[in-house]
Amino acid sequence: MRAVIVDCAIYRDGRRSTGPADFSDALDEARRASSDGAFVWIGLHEPTEEEFDHVADEFSLHPLAVEDALKAHQRPKLEVYDDSLFMVLKPVLYEPSSDKVSTGELMVFLGDSFVVTVRHGQGAPLAAVRQRLEAEPDVLRHGPTAVLYAISDAVVDHYIEVSGELQVDLEELETEVFQPSGGDAKNTASRIYTFKRQVLEFRRATGPLTGPMARLAGGGVPFVDEHAQPFFRDVSDHLTRAGEQVEGLDRLLSDILSAHLAQMGVRQNDDMRKISAWAAMAAVPTMVAGVYGMNFEHMWELDQVWGYPAVIVLMAVAVVGLFRLFKRRGWL
């Protein structure tokens, strides 16, 4: 269990206190001091089924919630059981080196004098949240509700930061698409589709979380302090803002993709016109030379000295005339 337990602590009146090393004894001590607002917060990282069974039995966690916490790959949601509240969030991680977006998973159990957090993957800001809360005892004094609020607020605020980073990348991609040279068409299309997949992954994190945050902001959720409604409404507002930014990114990507495909069509049409113009200019001398190459016996100007130069001049004049015509119409 030491490998999966990231941190375990008892908090009394908003301050961290020393307690038993065993989380079972820590929970009993926190419940005995519940009048002082004491609670225990245990953080786990990718526990196995055997490892998590000890925690689930001690904290009386619902089997369905335990199954979700172990399997991961869950949509953001909020479930209320008899002895606990279960919430799933999907933190988003932006990698500047590769301009990639990845998501992790964060499960939060709230109950009588306890908080259990289970983290899968990277990007969950639990360590920073715990440090910030421990530096603000007035907030932490509100118990497990304060922990749920701080985690939700940190995850949603990071959504806005990541959407800002993606906006910068999108502007660079837009510049590349609309540059005069057109860039590498195949590579640009691949980048647009890759970008859209990242935005889709982002939407899977922000979209389903709207419902749970609305429930928390509306109040009436067990194990959540009613006085925390304004704070959850603030998180819900930030989530709405992040969702709108993600929707805007997706729409802009669709527009950029359409513009890129239109540009490719225009360039292809322009190439076809140029090819057709050159083919037409090549066809005139080919036709004349073909006629004179058929070796007829009776043909005008064959006996004239100026006949051959006249035909050459005729072909040159025809080609120059066609060239000027196509140039004036923008085909060349």
Side-chain angles (χ1 to χ4, degrees), residues 60-246:
S60 301
L61 304 180
H62 197 278
L64 293 177
V66 171
E67 181 181 358
D68 290 343
L70 288 172
K71 288 186 176 180
H73 304 292
Q74 304 295 320
R75 298 174 74 251
K77 62 181 180 178
L78 178 66
E79 301 285 350
V80 178
Y81 300 101
D82 294 335
D83 299 322
S84 62
L85 177 147
F86 176 63
M87 187 169 184
V88 179
L89 303 101
K90 293 182 75 70
V92 174
L93 179 65
Y94 176 78
E95 302 172 4
S97 58
S98 57
D99 295 336
K100 294 292 182 64
V101 172
S102 59
T103 57
E105 291 194 38
L106 181 58
M107 288 77 172
V108 183
F109 294 88
L110 257 71
D112 179 20
S113 302
F114 72 84
V115 178
V116 177
T117 54
V118 182
R119 177 168 61 90
H120 292 269
Q122 303 298 322
L126 287 182
V129 170
R130 189 185 287 262
Q131 292 176 2
R132 189 180 69 189
L133 283 174
E134 291 178 354
E136 299 177 353
D138 290 339
V139 177
L140 196 55
R141 189 175 290 117
H142 292 86
T145 301
V147 177
L148 180 61
Y149 158 72
I151 292 175
S152 303
D153 185 57
V155 170
V156 172
D157 283 349
H158 196 59
Y159 287 164
I160 297 176
E161 295 177 8
V162 172
S163 65
E165 297 285 351
L166 290 178
Q167 183 65 43
V168 174
D169 292 343
L170 182 60
E171 291 174 358
E172 295 176 354
L173 181 60
E174 188 176 19
T175 301
E176 178 181 335
V177 169
F178 291 104
Q179 64 182 353
S181 62
D184 186 349
K186 183 177 180 180
N187 184 56
T188 300
S190 176
R191 286 189 60 191
I192 294 175
Y193 279 113
T194 301
F195 208 132
K196 282 188 71 69
R197 290 190 63 85
Q198 293 184 58
V199 172
L200 176 61
E201 186 73 14
F202 202 165
R203 291 181 63 181
R204 288 173 179 169
T206 59
L209 188 58
T210 303
M213 292 310 306
R215 288 181 61 187
L216 292 172
V221 180
F223 307 105
V224 177
D225 191 343
E226 293 292 331
H227 296 90
Q229 291 183 42
F231 299 96
F232 284 111
R233 279 199 296 269
D234 181 67
V235 177
S236 182
D237 290 341
H238 290 179
L239 179 62
T240 301
R241 176 185 169 190
E244 290 174 350
Q245 291 177 344
V246 174

Side-chain angles (χ1 to χ4, degrees), residues 35 46 119 168 223 248 304 328:
S35 59
E46 298 182 355
R119 177 168 61 90
V168 174
F223 307 105
Q304 276 74 19
R328 186 167 58 252

Side-chain angles (χ1 to χ4, degrees), residues 282-295 299 308 311-312 314-315:
V284 171
T286 301
M287 179 186 66
V288 175
V291 169
Y292 280 89
M294 289 189 290
N295 297 321
M299 214 170 192
Y308 180 76
V311 171
I312 297 298
L314 175 64
M315 291 190 292

